[in-house]
Amino acid sequence: MAWVLLAVSGALETVWAASLAQSRGFSRPVPSIVFGVALVASMIGLALALRSLPVGTAYAVWVGIGAVGTAAYGMVALGEPATAARLLCLLAIVAGVVGLKVLH
């Protein structure tokens, strides 16, 4: 259950990062509210997962999911470049996250 909670919390990291960008410096209320709610939910999920997972592993997995999700959002929704090099780097992050899960 802790791993599922951690994965959801990592996905919420993507939500808050994307909402932060869309808030335009907190000048737009709806993305600002989404940012706050997603941030708090993401942190609570991470904290709950840390009850049974080691902090180093959990934090690295949480950040990895958020980083890959946010980069993918940028490429798909915001037109950021999806070069082979960027995709290879994101694949390396995914491999690291999977490795941490397998080695746990």
Side-chain angles (χ1 to χ4, degrees):
M1 183 63 177
W3 285 103
V4 172
L5 191 55
L6 187 63
V8 170
S9 296
L12 284 169
E13 186 182 0
T14 297
V15 172
W16 69 250
S19 298
L20 181 60
Q22 295 301 317
S23 76
R24 307 283 189 259
F26 299 115
S27 65
R28 298 174 64 207
V30 172
S32 298
I33 292 168
V34 171
F35 161 78
V37 171
L39 177 67
V40 170
S42 180
M43 292 295 170
I44 290 171
L46 175 61
L48 293 174
L50 287 175
R51 289 181 174 174
S52 60
L53 297 174
V55 67
T57 299
Y59 184 74
V61 168
W62 179 76
V63 168
I65 292 169
V68 170
T70 304
Y73 169 79
M75 287 184 258
V76 171
L78 304 177
E80 295 176 5
T83 64
R86 286 187 82 188
L87 295 173
L88 186 61
C89 290
L90 291 173
L91 184 61
I93 295 171
V94 170
V97 166
V98 170
L100 288 171
K101 167 64 173 112
V102 168
L103 296 173
H104 177 268

